[in-house]
Amino acid sequence: MSQPDIVLYTANTMNGWKPLIFLHEAEIDYELVPIDFGRKEQKADWYLKLNPNGRIPTIVDRANDDFAVFESGAILWYLAEKYDRFLSHDPRERSETLQWLMFQMGGIGPMMGQAMFFQRIAKPNGDEVPYAIDRYVNESRRLLEVLDTRLAGRDWLVGDALSIADIATYPWARSHFWATVSVEGLGNLQAWFDRLDAMPRVQAALQLPEPRPSAFGEGDTDAAARENAARFR
Protein backbone atom coordinates (compact mmCIF):
# COMPACT_ATOMS: atom_id res chain seq x y z
CA MET A 1 0.00 0.00 0.00
CA SER A 2 1.18 3.50 -0.79
CA GLN A 3 1.88 5.86 2.07
CA PRO A 4 0.14 9.23 2.36
CA ASP A 5 2.17 12.22 1.27
CA ILE A 6 1.80 14.15 4.51
CA VAL A 7 3.17 13.10 7.88
CA LEU A 8 1.83 15.34 10.64
CA TYR A 9 3.57 15.66 13.99
CA THR A 10 1.23 17.38 16.40
CA ALA A 11 -0.53 17.52 19.76
CA ASN A 12 -3.92 18.66 21.06
CA THR A 13 -3.16 22.37 21.29
CA MET A 14 -4.58 25.40 19.52
CA ASN A 15 -1.69 25.46 17.04
CA GLY A 16 -1.62 21.69 16.83
CA TRP A 17 -5.23 21.51 15.68
CA LYS A 18 -4.78 23.82 12.70
CA PRO A 19 -3.32 21.34 10.19
CA LEU A 20 -5.67 18.65 11.48
CA ILE A 21 -8.65 20.85 10.65
CA PHE A 22 -7.27 21.56 7.18
CA LEU A 23 -6.55 17.92 6.39
CA HIS A 24 -9.89 16.68 7.68
CA GLU A 25 -11.97 19.37 6.01
CA ALA A 26 -10.09 18.83 2.72
CA GLU A 27 -10.42 15.05 3.14
CA ILE A 28 -6.69 14.55 2.65
CA ASP A 29 -5.14 11.28 3.77
CA TYR A 30 -2.23 11.75 6.18
CA GLU A 31 -0.15 9.96 8.76
CA LEU A 32 -0.55 11.23 12.31
CA VAL A 33 2.39 11.13 14.72
CA PRO A 34 1.33 12.38 18.18
CA ILE A 35 4.01 14.28 20.07
CA ASP A 36 4.18 13.58 23.81
CA PHE A 37 5.05 16.74 25.73
CA GLY A 38 5.43 14.74 28.94
CA ARG A 39 8.34 12.89 27.36
CA LYS A 40 9.57 16.12 25.73
CA GLU A 41 9.55 14.52 22.32
CA GLN A 42 9.40 17.99 20.76
CA LYS A 43 12.93 18.55 22.10
CA ALA A 44 14.36 15.24 20.92
CA ASP A 45 17.24 15.38 18.46
CA TRP A 46 15.28 13.58 15.75
CA TYR A 47 12.45 16.11 16.00
CA LEU A 48 14.72 19.15 16.10
CA LYS A 49 16.07 18.08 12.73
CA LEU A 50 12.55 18.64 11.37
CA ASN A 51 11.66 21.66 13.49
CA PRO A 52 14.63 23.55 14.96
CA ASN A 53 12.28 25.53 17.22
CA GLY A 54 11.21 22.41 19.09
CA ARG A 55 7.49 23.15 18.90
CA ILE A 56 4.48 21.59 17.25
CA PRO A 57 3.11 21.16 14.65
CA THR A 58 5.43 20.03 11.88
CA ILE A 59 4.68 18.29 8.60
CA VAL A 60 6.86 16.26 6.28
CA ASP A 61 5.82 15.96 2.64
CA ARG A 62 7.03 12.60 1.36
CA ALA A 63 6.03 13.57 -2.18
CA ASN A 64 8.38 16.57 -2.06
CA ASP A 65 11.60 14.76 -1.14
CA ASP A 66 10.60 14.63 2.56
CA PHE A 67 10.37 18.41 2.74
CA ALA A 68 9.68 19.55 6.31
CA VAL A 69 7.56 22.57 7.18
CA PHE A 70 7.24 24.04 10.68
CA GLU A 71 5.21 26.95 12.12
CA SER A 72 1.46 26.39 11.94
CA GLY A 73 0.71 29.35 9.66
CA ALA A 74 3.41 28.30 7.21
CA ILE A 75 2.05 24.76 7.27
CA LEU A 76 -1.44 25.97 6.37
CA TRP A 77 -0.08 28.07 3.52
CA TYR A 78 1.98 25.13 2.22
CA LEU A 79 -0.99 22.76 2.35
CA ALA A 80 -3.27 25.33 0.72
CA GLU A 81 -0.90 25.72 -2.20
CA LYS A 82 -0.18 21.99 -2.49
CA TYR A 83 -3.82 20.95 -2.54
CA ASP A 84 -5.35 24.15 -3.96
CA ARG A 85 -7.81 24.42 -1.08
CA PHE A 86 -8.97 27.20 1.22
CA LEU A 87 -6.90 29.88 -0.54
CA SER A 88 -8.36 32.07 -3.26
CA HIS A 89 -6.66 32.56 -6.62
CA ASP A 90 -7.83 36.18 -6.66
CA PRO A 91 -4.79 38.34 -5.76
CA ARG A 92 -6.72 40.65 -3.45
CA GLU A 93 -8.47 37.85 -1.57
CA ARG A 94 -5.19 35.96 -1.40
CA SER A 95 -3.55 38.98 0.22
CA GLU A 96 -6.47 39.42 2.61
CA THR A 97 -6.17 35.77 3.61
CA LEU A 98 -2.48 36.25 4.37
CA GLN A 99 -3.27 39.39 6.37
CA TRP A 100 -5.82 37.63 8.58
CA LEU A 101 -3.56 34.61 8.91
CA MET A 102 -0.79 36.90 10.18
CA PHE A 103 -3.32 38.64 12.46
CA GLN A 104 -3.84 35.30 14.15
CA MET A 105 -0.17 34.34 14.19
CA GLY A 106 1.07 37.70 15.48
CA GLY A 107 -1.87 38.74 17.63
CA ILE A 108 -4.54 36.32 18.73
CA GLY A 109 -2.22 33.36 19.26
CA PRO A 110 0.50 35.12 21.28
CA MET A 111 -1.89 37.26 23.34
CA MET A 112 -4.31 34.47 24.20
CA GLY A 113 -1.39 32.13 24.79
CA GLN A 114 0.03 34.51 27.38
CA ALA A 115 -3.40 34.95 28.99
CA MET A 116 -3.55 31.17 29.31
CA PHE A 117 0.00 30.90 30.65
CA PHE A 118 -0.33 33.49 33.41
CA GLN A 119 -3.70 32.12 34.57
CA ARG A 120 -3.42 28.40 33.95
CA ILE A 121 0.27 27.81 34.74
CA ALA A 122 1.94 30.69 36.58
CA LYS A 123 -0.89 31.60 38.98
CA PRO A 124 -1.73 28.10 40.28
CA ASN A 125 1.98 27.42 40.73
CA GLY A 126 2.40 30.40 43.04
CA ASP A 127 3.53 33.10 40.63
CA GLU A 128 0.50 35.33 40.20
CA VAL A 129 1.12 38.48 38.17
CA PRO A 130 -2.12 40.52 38.11
CA TYR A 131 -0.73 43.15 35.74
CA ALA A 132 0.20 40.51 33.16
CA ILE A 133 -3.15 38.77 33.51
CA ASP A 134 -5.06 42.01 32.97
CA ARG A 135 -2.81 43.01 30.10
CA TYR A 136 -3.21 39.79 28.13
CA VAL A 137 -6.88 39.16 28.90
CA ASN A 138 -7.81 42.71 27.89
CA GLU A 139 -5.73 42.60 24.73
CA SER A 140 -7.20 39.22 23.80
CA ARG A 141 -10.69 40.63 24.23
CA ARG A 142 -9.78 43.60 22.01
CA LEU A 143 -8.55 41.25 19.29
CA LEU A 144 -11.75 39.20 19.47
CA GLU A 145 -13.65 42.45 19.06
CA VAL A 146 -11.66 43.09 15.89
CA LEU A 147 -12.75 39.67 14.65
CA ASP A 148 -16.36 40.42 15.56
CA THR A 149 -16.24 43.64 13.55
CA ARG A 150 -14.67 41.87 10.60
CA LEU A 151 -17.40 39.22 10.64
CA ALA A 152 -20.24 41.75 10.51
CA GLY A 153 -22.35 40.87 7.47
CA ARG A 154 -20.10 37.98 6.40
CA ASP A 155 -19.86 34.28 7.14
CA TRP A 156 -16.10 33.94 6.84
CA LEU A 157 -13.05 36.08 7.46
CA VAL A 158 -12.18 36.36 3.77
CA GLY A 159 -14.41 35.96 0.74
CA ASP A 160 -17.45 33.72 0.58
CA ALA A 161 -15.95 30.45 1.79
CA LEU A 162 -13.85 28.88 4.51
CA SER A 163 -10.17 29.79 4.19
CA ILE A 164 -6.95 29.07 6.01
CA ALA A 165 -7.53 32.33 7.90
CA ASP A 166 -10.64 30.79 9.50
CA ILE A 167 -8.85 27.50 10.08
CA ALA A 168 -5.96 29.22 11.84
CA THR A 169 -8.12 31.50 13.98
CA TYR A 170 -10.89 29.16 15.06
CA PRO A 171 -8.98 26.90 17.52
CA TRP A 172 -7.60 29.93 19.34
CA ALA A 173 -10.71 32.10 19.43
CA ARG A 174 -12.90 29.10 20.27
CA SER A 175 -10.65 28.44 23.30
CA HIS A 176 -11.57 31.77 24.88
CA PHE A 177 -12.76 29.90 27.99
CA TRP A 178 -9.26 28.59 28.70
CA ALA A 179 -7.92 32.15 28.43
CA THR A 180 -10.87 33.43 30.53
CA VAL A 181 -11.71 35.96 27.84
CA SER A 182 -15.38 36.88 27.59
CA VAL A 183 -17.13 36.82 24.22
CA GLU A 184 -20.28 38.41 25.62
CA GLY A 185 -21.80 40.84 23.17
CA LEU A 186 -19.76 39.54 20.24
CA GLY A 187 -22.65 38.14 18.25
CA ASN A 188 -20.90 37.99 14.88
CA LEU A 189 -18.04 36.01 16.41
CA GLN A 190 -20.39 33.64 18.18
CA ALA A 191 -22.31 33.04 14.95
CA TRP A 192 -18.98 32.20 13.27
CA PHE A 193 -18.27 29.76 16.11
CA ASP A 194 -21.66 28.17 15.48
CA ARG A 195 -20.90 27.68 11.79
CA LEU A 196 -17.59 25.96 12.51
CA ASP A 197 -19.00 24.03 15.47
CA ALA A 198 -21.57 22.54 13.07
CA MET A 199 -18.94 21.19 10.65
CA PRO A 200 -18.46 17.47 11.41
CA ARG A 201 -14.98 17.16 9.93
CA VAL A 202 -13.76 20.21 11.84
CA GLN A 203 -15.06 18.74 15.07
CA ALA A 204 -13.53 15.34 14.28
CA ALA A 205 -10.14 17.04 13.90
CA LEU A 206 -10.47 18.58 17.37
CA GLN A 207 -10.63 15.09 18.89
CA LEU A 208 -7.06 14.36 17.81
CA PRO A 209 -4.54 13.26 18.85
CA GLU A 210 -6.85 13.00 21.90
CA PRO A 211 -9.85 15.05 23.04
CA ARG A 212 -9.33 18.16 25.16
CA PRO A 213 -12.83 19.42 25.99
CA SER A 214 -11.58 21.69 28.79
CA ALA A 215 -10.15 24.11 26.22
CA PHE A 216 -13.71 24.86 25.18
CA GLY A 217 -15.19 24.98 28.67
CA GLU A 218 -16.57 21.44 28.56
CA GLY A 219 -16.14 18.46 30.87
CA ASP A 220 -14.42 18.63 34.26
CA THR A 221 -12.59 21.88 33.66
CA ASP A 222 -11.40 22.22 37.27
CA ALA A 223 -9.69 18.83 37.18
CA ALA A 224 -8.20 19.62 33.78
CA ALA A 225 -6.85 22.93 35.08
CA ARG A 226 -5.22 21.22 38.10
CA GLU A 227 -3.66 18.55 35.91
CA ASN A 228 -2.39 21.14 33.44
CA ALA A 229 -0.78 23.27 36.16
CA ALA A 230 0.81 20.24 37.80
CA ARG A 231 2.67 19.37 34.59
CA PHE A 232 4.64 22.62 34.91
CA ARG A 233 5.65 22.42 38.57
Side-chain angles (χ1 to χ4, degrees):
M1 294 180 60
S2 61
Q3 295 178 308
D5 288 353
I6 300 298
V7 183
L8 170 60
Y9 302 84
T10 197
N12 59 343
T13 72
M14 296 74 190
N15 285 333
W17 283 317
K18 295 177 193 175
L20 283 163
I21 292 172
F22 182 105
L23 292 164
H24 277 246
E25 190 60 28
E27 299 184 273
I28 302 296
D29 191 22
Y30 68 98
E31 179 182 335
L32 175 61
V33 181
I35 295 298
D36 187 339
F37 292 153
R39 297 171 57 187
K40 297 189 176 182
E41 290 180 335
Q42 76 277 18
K43 303 298 184 183
D45 288 344
W46 68 267
Y47 187 79
L48 291 173
K49 291 178 181 177
L50 303 175
N51 184 336
N53 195 34
R55 298 287 190 270
I56 59 94
T58 302
I59 63 168
V60 171
D61 186 353
R62 291 185 173 119
N64 190 14
D65 197 25
D66 288 337
F67 185 65
V69 185
F70 68 96
E71 288 297 323
S72 58
I75 289 170
L76 289 179
W77 194 269
Y78 181 89
L79 292 173
E81 291 195 321
K82 176 180 175 70
Y83 293 109
D84 194 21
R85 296 295 304 274
F86 312 127
L87 182 61
S88 174
H89 292 170
D90 177 79
R92 292 172 64 94
E93 281 195 12
R94 201 174 180 89
S95 176
E96 286 187 339
T97 304
L98 180 59
Q99 291 170 54
W100 286 100
L101 176 63
M102 293 300 101
F103 176 79
Q104 185 281 305
M105 295 292 294
I108 289 177
M111 295 300 103
M112 292 189 73
Q114 292 295 334
M116 293 172 186
F117 172 82
F118 280 102
Q119 295 177 94
R120 300 296 185 179
I121 297 173
K123 181 179 178 179
N125 285 315
D127 191 12
E128 184 175 1
V129 188
Y131 179 85
I133 292 173
D134 289 345
R135 153 72 176 155
Y136 290 117
V137 169
N138 291 338
E139 178 62 4
S140 296
R141 167 69 189 203
R142 186 190 71 80
L143 293 169
L144 294 184
E145 290 172 357
V146 173
L147 283 181
D148 186 71
T149 299
R150 172 63 178 180
L151 288 163
R154 60 171 66 236
D155 288 342
W156 308 106
L157 287 173
V158 179
D160 297 324
L162 181 77
S163 75
I164 56 173
D166 301 287
I167 291 171
T169 306
Y170 173 69
W172 278 102
R174 192 65 179 83
S175 301
H176 59 86
F177 168 85
W178 199 245
T180 71
V181 178
S182 171
V183 295
E184 184 177 355
L186 305 183
N188 301 319
L189 180 66
Q190 293 184 59
W192 180 73
F193 288 159
D194 290 343
R195 282 188 284 278
L196 284 149
D197 288 350
M199 298 173 72
R201 288 190 290 269
V202 170
Q203 298 311 307
L206 295 178
Q207 305 309 306
L208 298 172
E210 59 184 3
R212 188 185 170 189
S214 59
F216 311 110
E218 301 167 359
D220 191 340
T221 57
D222 290 339
R226 289 192 299 271
E227 180 182 344
N228 180 73
R231 289 190 289 118
F232 294 92
R233 286 177 185 159

